[in-house]
Amino acid sequence: MSDERMRGDLPDRDDLPERHPAAAYTLELPLHPRPIVIIGAGGIVKDAHLPAYRKAGYPVWGIVNRTVQRADALAAEFGIEHVFGTVEAAVAEAPADAVYDIALMPEQYEAALEALPDGAPVLIQKPLGHSLEQGEALAALCRRKGLVAAVNTQLRFAPYVAEARRLIAAGAIGEVHDMEVRVSVDTPWHLFPHVFGMERLELTMHSVHYLDLVRSFFGDPDGVSAVTRRHPGKPDVATTRSTIILRYRGRDLRAVVSTNHDHDYGPAHEESFIKWEGTRGAIRAQLGLLLDYPRGREDSLELAVAGEKGWTPLPFEGSWFPDAFIGSMGALQRYVEGSVDSLPTSVDDVLHTMAVVEAAYESDEREGVPLRVAVTS
């Protein structure tokens, strides 16, 4: 690329997807929030869904859990009036305009979706299945029932991501040529006992966030290269360390996700960030949540301008948990009420994220390109 282009003396392309984000990414609240029925009462509901909805003023009409005592405890804590042991019982009494929030494990999605009223709005916890095949089956189910279905890929709506998206769309860092997500932390897997024994873990349950985020900026990649590995000292946990490269043909764009959940050497060199670099500058967001999870450390967002030294802090409000959950539910409700004309996290869109995940696993199985070494005498 020429020196003139690097200085920003030539115009950047305006036809790139990151320059035209969907209106739902603005994080505005719905004009008329609908009552929510939450299906599930696990830790993510207690720590993220319910605090987010209370903060945003979204009305939670009811909560469903097969262990009713857990639902009762959350209902008492968050002032929820209706508690049910089955989805069918909740649907029978729920308001006609209810939005359903499925916060279960992927193997439980099908039964929950089948029990919903045809045409209902529903937010499904990520991932959309443990595989692309499962995702396709769930998407087909949603289409058959006419559900207005979105997936809770909430990192798209984290406050620092929303501000970075706005700045990039405005051309603040010029034409983006590099996006990197790097996570090197000690993840406390004991807090998630359901992951032990899973055949797939890191890509489907964690890096799916980052792959989805890259897609939300640049669209579908033309190819995927990946490696994902277990830790030799953790035989009961599937792969926990990955590097994934998303290839965009026709663009000088490097998009890479690198994760290591086994960095058990203290906080000094832990990393958890997203970085966008462009022809006129760079933006870096620190994801404090993953540093000393679940307590977390400070989030930050910074801007660097090409030709100037140093980084300038950028203001934003909130964090990934719980604030991003306001945005993901808000996007669905805004689409249903008609205040935005597209649903960027629709099941049909996020199915493409599952295709990226599946391609990454396939790439890992192929184990790269063999060396071609000339035979010498």
Side-chain angles (χ1 to χ4, degrees):
M1 187 174 289
S2 67
D3 291 341
E4 290 82 5
R5 184 63 176 274
M6 287 297 292
R7 290 197 301 266
D9 297 335
L10 295 177
D12 297 307
R13 289 174 58 186
D14 190 49
D15 62 335
L16 300 172
E18 64 268 26
R19 299 299 291 271
H20 304 279
Y25 291 135
T26 59
L27 301 188
E28 296 177 23
L29 297 178
L31 299 174
H32 306 288
R34 293 186 173 210
I36 298 169
V37 178
I38 297 183
I39 303 170
I44 194 70
V45 172
K46 176 181 173 64
D47 296 338
H49 292 248
L50 288 173
Y53 301 162
R54 180 165 59 186
K55 184 173 182 177
Y58 296 162
V60 178
W61 179 86
I63 185 167
V64 181
N65 199 68
R66 60 189 178 188
T67 305
V68 177
Q69 293 87 340
R70 295 186 68 175
D72 280 332
L74 288 181
E77 181 177 352
F78 288 90
I80 302 169
E81 185 175 354
H82 303 95
V83 175
F84 301 92
T86 68
V87 179
E88 291 81 359
V91 167
E93 296 188 31
D97 62 344
V99 174
Y100 294 87
D101 182 4
I102 297 178
L104 303 170
M105 289 296 290
E107 53 270 23
Q108 299 169 300
Y109 294 168
E110 180 180 359
L113 290 168
E114 286 284 11
L116 298 185
D118 289 355
V122 55
L123 184 65
I124 306 167
Q125 185 70 15
K126 67 81 194 168
L128 188 62
H130 292 297
S131 66
L132 177 59
E133 182 181 14
Q134 291 179 13
E136 290 172 336
L138 291 168
L141 190 163
C142 291
R143 294 188 207 105
R144 172 170 57 80
K145 290 181 62 68
L147 301 174
V148 184
V151 182
N152 194 10
T153 50
Q154 77 283 149
L155 183 56
R156 298 193 195 195
F157 301 94
Y160 38 74
V161 169
E163 180 62 11
R165 195 187 301 277
R166 185 189 70 81
L167 291 168
I168 289 168
I173 63 172
E175 187 174 318
V176 179
H177 55 71
D178 200 280
M179 181 175 176
E180 178 180 7
V181 181
R182 186 180 302 174
V183 173
S184 182
V185 298
D186 181 24
T187 296
W189 295 114
H190 64 278
L191 297 179
F192 313 100
H194 58 273
V195 308
F196 293 100
M198 276 186 173
E199 183 179 350
R200 291 179 168 186
L201 176 56
E202 208 286 317
L203 297 181
T204 52
M205 302 302 291
H206 189 86
S207 279
V208 64
H209 279 302
Y210 312 131
L211 301 176
D212 182 77
L213 186 67
V214 173
R215 281 194 58 252
S216 79
F217 277 88
F218 309 123
D220 288 344
D222 297 294
V224 180
S225 303
V227 59
T228 183
R229 288 291 179 267
R230 294 175 178 265
H231 188 281
K234 300 177 180 179
D236 54 347
V237 180
T239 58
T240 56
R241 297 167 296 139
S242 305
T243 298
I244 312 107
I245 300 171
L246 287 76
R247 300 172 180 269
Y248 287 86
R249 189 177 301 123
R251 293 192 63 173
D252 291 327
L253 172 64
R254 185 189 77 119
V256 61
V257 173
S258 177
T259 63
N260 175 7
H261 294 273
D262 301 303
H263 181 76
D264 186 17
Y265 303 102
H269 296 295
E270 285 188 327
E271 295 179 290
S272 177
F273 67 80
I274 308 165
K275 179 165 57 65
W276 300 263
E277 296 186 11
T279 54
R280 297 177 186 170
I283 297 172
R284 184 185 187 277
Q286 176 163 296
L287 286 61
L289 174 68
L290 302 181
L291 302 170
D292 192 24
Y293 185 90
R295 288 181 293 272
R297 297 207 289 271
E298 185 180 7
D299 294 323
S300 64
L301 186 68
E302 300 172 282
L303 171 69
V305 177
E308 301 179 9
K309 293 184 177 180
W311 292 76
T312 301
L314 297 173
F316 64 94
E317 294 183 3
S319 188
W320 185 350
F321 283 31
D323 300 85
F325 291 73
I326 297 174
S328 54
M329 173 56 78
L332 174 59
Q333 295 220 15
R334 291 169 71 194
Y335 178 71
V336 170
E337 74 181 10
S339 56
V340 295
D341 61 3
S342 66
L343 181 58
T345 54
S346 70
V347 161
D348 287 335
D349 180 90
V350 178
L351 190 60
H352 289 238
T353 296
M354 294 305 298
V356 174
V357 170
E358 198 68 35
Y361 278 115
E362 184 177 343
S363 173
D364 179 61
E365 290 177 0
R366 293 184 181 184
E367 297 186 337
V369 178
L371 298 181
R372 297 177 187 156
V373 181
V375 178
T376 58
S377 56

